Amino acid sequence: MATIGILGGGQLARMLAIAGAPLGHRFLVVDSAPDACAAQVAPVLQADWRDFAALGKFASQVDVATFDFENVPTDTAQWLTSHTRVFPNPAALAVAQDRLLEKALFAEIGLDTPTYAAVDSIDGLRAAVATTGLPAVLKTRRLGYDGKGQYVIRQNADIEPAWASLGGVPLILEAFVAFEREVSVIAVRSRNGEFRHYPLTRNWHRDGILSVSLAPLPGDPDLEARAVDRARTLAEHLDYVGVFALELFVVDGSLLGNEMAPRVHNSGHWTIEGAVCSQFENHVRAVLGLPLGDTRANGYSAMLNWIGELPDAKPVLAESRGHWHDYGKSSRAGRKVGHATVCADSPTELADRLRRIGLALGREAQVRPAVEVLTS
Amino acid sequence: MATIGILGGGQLARMLAIAGAPLGHRFLVVDSAPDACAAQVAPVLQADWRDFAALGKFASQVDVATFDFENVPTDTAQWLTSHTRVFPNPAALAVAQDRLLEKALFAEIGLDTPTYAAVDSIDGLRAAVATTGLPAVLKTRRLGYDGKGQYVIRQNADIEPAWASLGGVPLILEAFVAFEREVSVIAVRSRNGEFRHYPLTRNWHRDGILSVSLAPLPGDPDLEARAVDRARTLAEHLDYVGVFALELFVVDGSLLGNEMAPRVHNSGHWTIEGAVCSQFENHVRAVLGLPLGDTRANGYSAMLNWIGELPDAKPVLAESRGHWHDYGKSSRAGRKVGHATVCADSPTELADRLRRIGLALGREAQVRPAVEVLTS
C-alpha cells in the first residue's frame, strides 16, 4: 500500500483516487479551495501552493507526489522533489505552463506548429500580426486553459482591444489554423521508460472547452502512427513518467502541435470504460513503478462533456454501456461538472446510442459531429 | 446526488462506495469496528447495531439504507424502515439469517434442497441423523458464514463432539451433498420489479471459503435457465430490491438450493471488470430507482480470492485484463483481504493467463480447477 499525493483537488484528482482505491492505494490531496471535489473521495489538506510548512507535512505523508493541475508553481514542484518523489518531473510542468516554451519543445522534437510570435508590447503585437497574418489568436503565455486568456484578432481594428484585454503579461500570437480536425494522443510512460499509448482520439470543442471525444477513429493508421511517434519522442525528451496528452491539429493531412498536458486529460476520460486499463489507473501504475496496463480500446467510445450543469442521467444509464460521471460540483457557467461515456461494439451501434441520448436530452447538436463521423 | 447509507463497513461496502462515486453519490457507513475497511473510501459512523440514537442520526443523513452484511439484527433493520427507505426489505434479511427459514423459502419457490432437520437437543440430533443419513453437516441456524459454525458428522461417534461444539443455539442438520459443482446466480431487481441476472457463475471453495469463481460457464444453457428461473421467483416472492446471490449445488443435473445472500456477493466480484455494469453499480442503481445496467459478460472472467494475506500484485497487473483489488485490511488467517479478476476474450486465453499467474505466485492449486474447466 502506497500513499499518492496529488497537487490539485479537481475531477482529475477525484478520478485518480477512485481508480487507485481498488488497488489498495491511499491518496492525500492538496488544494487551496475548501470545496475541492476530490474531498468526497480522498482526504484533502487545504493549503496554498506557497505554504511550504503545509507542503512539508504533505510530503512527509506520501510516497510519491503527482498533479491534477499543471499550473502548480514550478518552484513549488521543484521544492517538493527534495522532499518526496515527484512524477512527472517539474521540467514537464514548466514547459506546459508556458506556450512559448511549449512551442520551442515542439520544434525540438520535430513537430510543426502554427506560425507564432512572442508579444510583450502593442508594437510587438503589430509586428507579430505581420508575421502570422490574420486571423490570429492572442493568448497569455501562462495560466490559460479552456479558452481562457485568449482573444481572436480578425482584423487590424481588433489589435488595440486585444492588447487592452490581455496586455501587461507575456503573450503569444498564433496564426489561426483552419484545421480539419483536432486529435489527441493520450500516452503513458513508466519509470523504466516503457511507453504505451491509447488509440488516437478525435475532439470537438465548443466555446474553447472540450465538448466531445471519440475513439478509436475509423481509420487513418498512418496519421495515428505519426502522432504517436511525436508523443513518444516528447516523452523521452522530457524523461516523462505518467500519463500525458499531446493535442494536435490536422491540416491537409499534416500534424501541427497545439498543446501538451502533463497529466491525465479530459480527452482520455473515455478510457475509464472504453479501454482495458484507464488513463487514471495507468497514471497510478506509472508513478508507483507498477506494470503498465493494456491501453487497447474495448469497442468504440464517445465522451460527452457536461459544462455548467448536469443533464438528466437516466437516458445515458438506460443505454447498455452508458456510463455516468458526476464530479460532485455545484453548477456554474463554463464549469466542467461531469461527463458521460457511451461505448458500443460497432460505430453504427454507438451512433444509434448517441442519437437517442442527444434526442432525450435535447443535445442533438452536441452529439451530431461524432454521429457524422461514425456513420460516414 | 443521493446519500446511500450502508450497514456494515467491510469490503462489500467499500466496493459499493467506489462504484457509486463516479455516479456522484455519497455514502455513509455504520460499523461497530474502528478499522472498517470502507472507512478508507467513505465516512463511517462507529456505532453498535443497538445504538438507536446513532442509527437515528444515520437515518436522518441518508436517502436510502442498504446492507453490506446480512446479519444486521432484523429488529434494527425493521426499526430503520420507519426512519428511512431500506432496500432490500428486512424480510429478506430475516430469511437469510436463519438456515431453517431459508430452506422453507426454497421449498415455497419450488427449489429442492438437501435433506435437513432442525436440531435443538442431543436427542434431536440423533433423530436428525436418522433422517439425513451420514455424512451430514451440523450448522448453526444463525450467524454462520464462510464455513464458520459448521461441523461435519461422518460417523455416529461424531454426534456427541458435534453437539459439544455447537449445541446450545438453534441448529440444523443437513445431508452432506456429493455435488458435481457449485454455482451461483447473481441477480438484481429494481424498485419497479424489473429483473436482470448475470451469467451463471461456477464457484470453488477451500476450507469453507470461496476460492475461485468462473463466468460465464462454457455451456449448459438449460441449467442456467432453471437456476435463473428460481432466482427470479425468489426475488418476486420477497419483493426484493437490489442485488442478491442464490447459491446452488448441481447433483445429477438437478439443482439444490444451498444459500441465498441478500446483498452483493463474493461470487459476483468478477462483474466489476467482466460485465458491462458491475453488481456494485447495479445495486446502487436499484436502491436509488435508476435504470438497471447491462448484466452481460464481456468475455470470460475468473476471480481469485486472497485469503489471509495478499500475494504480489505484479504478476496479475502484468497480464492484459488482469485486475487487482486490495481491500486495505491487515493480514489475518481466514480473512478475505483482496481478490484478483482476470478476463480474456476466449476460454483458452483466460486459461493461459491463469496458468502464468498461478505459476508466478506459487498458486497452481488455486487456479487449477478453473483452468481445467476452461480447457476441457
Side-chain angles (χ1 to χ4, degrees):
Chain A
M1 189 274 288
T3 299
I4 301 171
I6 307 179
L7 287 92
Q11 66 269 17
L12 302 180
R14 179 184 171 100
M15 289 186 272
L16 283 168
I18 292 170
L23 296 170
H25 301 303
R26 318 270 172 108
F27 292 83
L28 178 61
V29 172
V30 189
D31 200 291
S32 58
D35 62 345
C37 75
Q40 295 159 25
V41 299
V44 174
L45 184 67
Q46 197 186 335
D48 186 86
W49 302 132
R50 303 292 181 181
D51 180 350
F52 292 97
L55 291 168
K57 189 178 155 206
F58 164 80
S60 71
Q61 291 176 49
V62 305
D63 298 291
V64 59
T66 189
F67 307 92
D68 129 298
F69 178 63
E70 68 263 46
N71 288 322
V72 170
T74 46
D75 51 356
T76 294
Q78 193 59 53
W79 179 89
L80 265 183
T81 60
S82 56
H83 293 78
T84 186
R85 304 189 76 160
V86 179
F87 297 115
N89 67 62
L93 260 71
V95 165
Q97 284 176 10
D98 186 323
R99 293 181 192 280
L100 202 61
L101 298 182
E102 198 172 46
K103 293 282 192 297
L105 171 68
F106 289 164
E108 271 187 82
I109 64 164
L111 180 60
D112 289 337
T113 61
T115 306
Y116 66 91
V119 171
D120 293 301
S121 67
I122 181 77
D123 288 341
L125 178 55
R126 287 197 185 94
V129 166
T131 304
T132 63
L134 290 181
V137 190
L138 186 64
K139 300 178 176 179
T140 56
R141 276 174 57 181
R142 303 175 61 83
L143 299 172
Y145 67 97
D146 286 349
K148 288 167 189 156
Q150 302 198 7
Y151 199 109
V152 179
I153 301 179
R154 296 180 194 284
Q155 50 194 359
N156 284 324
D158 295 333
I159 290 176
E160 292 208 5
W163 177 256
S165 170
L166 298 179
V169 294
L171 300 172
I172 184 172
L173 185 72
E174 299 176 9
F176 187 88
V177 178
F179 56 81
E180 287 136 35
R181 42 189 153 136
E182 292 179 83
V183 296
S184 57
V185 181
I186 308 293
V188 57
R189 189 165 175 271
S190 73
R191 286 191 193 177
N192 59 12
E194 187 189 357
F195 175 88
R196 294 188 181 194
H197 66 93
Y198 292 92
L200 195 65
T201 301
R202 180 157 176 185
N203 304 309
W204 289 269
H205 287 75
R206 279 188 155 199
D207 304 325
I209 306 179
L210 184 65
S211 172
V212 180
S213 292
L214 180 67
L217 298 174
D220 184 342
D222 173 62
L223 183 79
E224 173 152 343
R226 283 182 286 142
V228 167
D229 183 64
R230 290 307 88 202
R232 181 186 285 110
T233 304
L234 184 150
E236 288 169 359
H237 188 89
L238 293 173
D239 192 19
Y240 194 92
V241 173
V243 167
F244 68 98
L246 176 60
E247 294 184 80
L248 301 155
F249 296 130
V250 182
V251 184
D252 294 332
S254 294
L255 291 167
L256 294 183
N258 179 29
E259 286 184 28
M260 75 85 68
R263 51 169 170 76
V264 288
H265 191 256
N266 199 164
S267 70
H269 289 359
W270 66 268
T271 64
I272 297 176
E273 296 91 2
V276 173
C277 181
S278 75
Q279 66 166 348
F280 298 100
E281 182 171 338
N282 253 331
H283 188 68
V284 169
R285 291 186 184 209
V287 302
L288 292 179
L290 294 168
L292 297 183
D294 191 335
T295 50
R296 278 178 295 184
N298 173 13
Y300 295 83
S301 297
M303 189 280 312
L304 306 172
N305 245 6
W306 307 135
I307 309 298
E309 61 181 352
L310 290 168
D312 182 16
K314 288 196 181 73
V316 171
L317 294 176
E319 294 291 338
S320 171
R321 303 193 71 187
H323 302 279
W324 191 257
H325 295 265
D326 170 350
Y327 305 150
K329 293 175 171 181
S330 53
S331 299
R332 191 165 73 204
R335 189 180 216 192
K336 292 176 175 174
V337 293
H339 76 270
T341 297
V342 188
C343 311
D345 294 339
S346 72
T348 52
E349 188 178 43
L350 180 54
D352 287 344
R353 289 177 182 165
L354 290 174
R355 272 197 211 96
R356 280 193 295 267
I357 289 167
L359 195 65
L361 298 179
R363 293 184 179 245
E364 295 93 332
Q366 187 176 5
V367 304
R368 188 170 299 126
V371 168
E372 281 173 5
V373 170
L374 290 164
T375 54
S376 67
Chain B
M1 191 273 290
T3 299
I4 301 172
I6 307 179
L7 287 92
Q11 67 269 18
L12 302 180
R14 178 183 170 101
M15 288 186 274
L16 283 168
I18 292 170
L23 296 169
H25 301 304
R26 318 271 172 109
F27 292 82
L28 179 61
V29 171
V30 188
D31 200 292
S32 58
D35 62 344
C37 74
Q40 294 160 23
V41 298
V44 174
L45 185 66
Q46 197 186 336
D48 186 85
W49 302 132
R50 304 293 183 181
D51 180 351
F52 292 97
L55 291 168
K57 188 178 157 207
F58 165 79
S60 72
Q61 291 177 48
V62 305
D63 298 290
V64 59
T66 190
F67 308 92
D68 130 297
F69 178 62
E70 69 264 45
N71 289 321
V72 171
T74 47
D75 51 356
T76 294
Q78 193 59 53
W79 179 89
L80 264 183
T81 60
S82 56
H83 294 77
T84 187
R85 304 190 77 161
V86 180
F87 297 114
N89 67 63
L93 260 70
V95 165
Q97 284 176 10
D98 186 322
R99 293 181 192 278
L100 202 61
L101 298 182
E102 198 172 47
K103 293 284 193 294
L105 171 67
F106 289 166
E108 273 189 82
I109 64 164
L111 179 61
D112 290 337
T113 61
T115 306
Y116 67 91
V119 172
D120 293 302
S121 66
I122 181 75
D123 289 340
L125 178 55
R126 288 198 184 95
V129 166
T131 303
T132 62
L134 290 181
V137 190
L138 186 64
K139 300 178 177 179
T140 57
R141 277 175 56 182
R142 304 175 61 82
L143 299 173
Y145 67 98
D146 285 349
K148 287 168 189 156
Q150 302 198 8
Y151 198 109
V152 179
I153 302 179
R154 298 181 192 282
Q155 49 193 359
N156 285 324
D158 295 332
I159 291 178
E160 292 207 4
W163 177 256
S165 169
L166 298 179
V169 295
L171 300 172
I172 185 171
L173 185 72
E174 298 176 10
F176 186 88
V177 178
F179 55 81
E180 288 135 34
R181 40 187 154 138
E182 293 179 82
V183 296
S184 57
V185 181
I186 308 293
V188 58
R189 189 166 174 271
S190 73
R191 286 191 192 177
N192 59 11
E194 187 189 358
F195 175 89
R196 294 188 181 195
H197 66 92
Y198 292 92
L200 196 64
T201 302
R202 180 157 176 185
N203 304 308
W204 289 269
H205 288 75
R206 280 189 155 199
D207 303 325
I209 306 178
L210 184 64
S211 172
V212 179
S213 292
L214 180 68
L217 298 173
D220 183 343
D222 174 62
L223 183 80
E224 172 152 342
R226 284 182 285 142
V228 168
D229 184 63
R230 290 308 88 200
R232 182 187 284 110
T233 305
L234 184 149
E236 288 169 359
H237 188 88
L238 293 172
D239 192 20
Y240 194 93
V241 173
V243 167
F244 68 98
L246 177 60
E247 293 184 80
L248 301 155
F249 296 130
V250 182
V251 184
D252 294 332
S254 294
L255 291 167
L256 295 182
N258 179 29
E259 288 184 25
M260 74 87 66
R263 52 170 170 75
V264 288
H265 191 257
N266 199 164
S267 70
H269 290 359
W270 66 268
T271 63
I272 297 175
E273 296 92 1
V276 174
C277 180
S278 76
Q279 65 166 348
F280 298 100
E281 181 172 338
N282 253 331
H283 188 68
V284 168
R285 291 187 185 208
V287 303
L288 292 180
L290 293 168
L292 297 183
D294 191 335
T295 51
R296 278 178 294 184
N298 172 13
Y300 295 84
S301 297
M303 189 282 311
L304 306 172
N305 245 5
W306 306 135
I307 310 298
E309 61 180 352
L310 289 169
D312 181 16
K314 288 195 181 74
V316 171
L317 294 176
E319 294 291 338
S320 171
R321 301 192 73 185
H323 302 280
W324 191 257
H325 295 264
D326 171 350
Y327 305 151
K329 294 175 169 180
S330 53
S331 300
R332 191 165 74 203
R335 189 180 217 192
K336 292 175 175 174
V337 293
H339 75 269
T341 296
V342 188
C343 310
D345 294 339
S346 72
T348 51
E349 188 178 44
L350 180 54
D352 287 344
R353 289 176 183 165
L354 290 174
R355 271 198 213 96
R356 280 194 295 265
I357 289 167
L359 195 65
L361 297 180
R363 294 185 179 243
E364 294 94 332
Q366 186 175 6
V367 304
R368 189 171 298 127
V371 169
E372 281 173 4
V373 169
L374 290 164
T375 54
S376 68

